[in-house]
Each structure stands twice: as structure tokens, then as C-alpha cells.
Amino acid sequence: MMSTKRFVWVVVVPLLAVLIVAGLVLNQVVRATSDDEPEGDASWTFLVYVMGDTNLEPYALDDLTEMASVGSSGELNIVAMVDRSPDYSSDGVLNLDDWEDTKLLKVEQDEFVELADLGELNTGDPDTLASFVETGLREYPADNYALLLWDHGGGWLGMGADETDGEDPLGLDEIAQGIDEGLNA
């Protein structure tokens, strides 16, 4: 079994580096492609793609609660697409009861606004990521964007594995494809 210290250096740190680079690239691409468009209503839109259909689901709920301690404001949009599992937690989160599929949420201070019940989505599918990026950019315009991909990190292999959908991971090439297609849409 891998020690916690080794896990952090082998899995967590490389995944964080990939996420930071993806966020910076996403922000630069959006800025480059939107020079002719008016600036957004907010300064920042954070798009949080939560692949919580794994044994990390209880931690996803904790992180969502932490996000809601700040919440969206006139300068900040926090939008999360959250896929959950039927197997790991039956807890609700703040004002929402338990669910077992995928929801699109706006994170407000101390609560969530359910924007859509999307049914069961495969978060290991790059088309799902593309649709989330497209929706977030279209519905929540801002001067700056960040995309956070949340789940098990696999370093250069990608991330996650949507357990309900055949343990489907999101490889690095699929992450790039999902971001590109979402931006182009």
C-alpha cells in the first residue's frame, strides 16, 4: 500500500499541476477567442467538474460545502456539475437532499441552486466535459475562467473513473478534447 506522503507526491501534486495548467490555458483561450465580445458580468467564473461517482463521494460533499461557505457573488460565479454514486453516501449537502445521478448547480453562499437535473451522465466521456464547459461559458460570462476537475488523479493517465458507467476514466487526451470542443461550441 502506498504511503500518504508518496501518494501526495506521485498522484496529488502531478494532478494539481495538470489542473493549474488546464485552468491557465482555458483562461487564455477564452480571452483570445472573445476579444470582439463584451466583457462578462463577473470577474471570474469557476467551473467545477465533480466526478463524484466514486469512493470519494463523501469528500466531494465536504468540498461542495466549503465552496458554499464563499458562494457566488456579483464578481464571482461558481458553477458545479456533480455526478454522485448510489453506493457511498446517502447524505444531502446543505439545502439539497441526496441524489444518485448528475446535477448542475450554482454554488451560492450557504446553499445550492439546482439549475438542472441531468440524469445519469458518464463523467468519463469527453462530450460530457465539453457540454459542461460550453454551458458554463455561455450562461456565466466573465472576464476570467477557471476549470477545476475533481476526482481521483492519475497523473499522466488522466483522472477519475465513473463507476456507474463502467469505470470509465477521463484520459488526458479526453480532457483536452472536452475542453477544446466546449470552447469551440
Side-chain angles (χ1 to χ4, degrees):
M1 178 152 204
M2 189 181 300
S3 73
T4 301
K5 187 175 182 178
R6 180 164 167 76
F7 175 79
V8 168
W9 284 106
V10 170
V11 177
V12 175
V13 171
L15 179 61
L16 286 175
V18 167
L19 294 176
I20 289 167
V21 169
L24 292 172
V25 169
L26 176 65
N27 189 46
Q28 291 303 314
V29 170
V30 168
R31 286 177 153 233
T33 59
S34 63
D35 287 340
D36 298 337
E37 299 174 17
E39 290 187 357
D41 298 331
S43 181
W44 279 93
T45 292
F46 279 82
L47 302 173
V48 187
Y49 189 80
V50 181
M51 295 177 76
D53 197 346
T54 70
N55 63 342
L56 292 181
E57 180 185 17
Y59 305 104
L61 301 179
D62 290 342
D63 287 350
L64 287 163
T65 301
E66 289 174 355
M67 286 180 236
S69 70
V70 173
S72 297
S73 69
E75 291 293 312
L76 170 67
N77 297 307
I78 305 172
V79 181
M81 190 185 80
V82 184
D83 188 26
R84 291 190 60 185
S85 170
D87 298 328
Y88 297 103
S89 176
S90 59
D91 293 337
V93 59
L94 293 179
N95 61 303
L96 297 179
D97 293 331
D98 179 31
W99 73 92
E100 296 179 359
D101 53 7
T102 310
K103 292 190 182 295
L104 183 63
L105 306 173
K106 179 146 188 216
V107 182
E108 297 288 353
Q109 187 158 16
D110 299 323
E111 70 175 346
F112 299 95
V113 175
E114 183 178 325
L115 302 171
D117 185 339
L118 303 170
E120 177 54 41
L121 295 180
N122 178 1
T123 52
D125 184 339
D127 291 339
T128 304
L129 176 59
S131 177
F132 175 60
V133 169
E134 175 189 2
T135 299
L137 296 178
R138 184 182 64 244
E139 299 296 323
Y140 297 94
D143 300 328
N144 303 284
Y145 295 88
L147 173 64
L148 297 110
L149 305 174
W150 192 103
D151 195 19
H152 286 287
W156 59 90
L157 298 176
M159 64 176 289
D162 189 317
E163 291 184 8
T164 304
D165 290 287
E167 302 282 336
D168 190 10
L170 196 57
L172 289 182
D173 58 334
E174 292 176 313
I175 292 170
Q177 176 187 340
I179 291 171
D180 287 345
E181 289 177 5
L183 290 172
N184 290 332

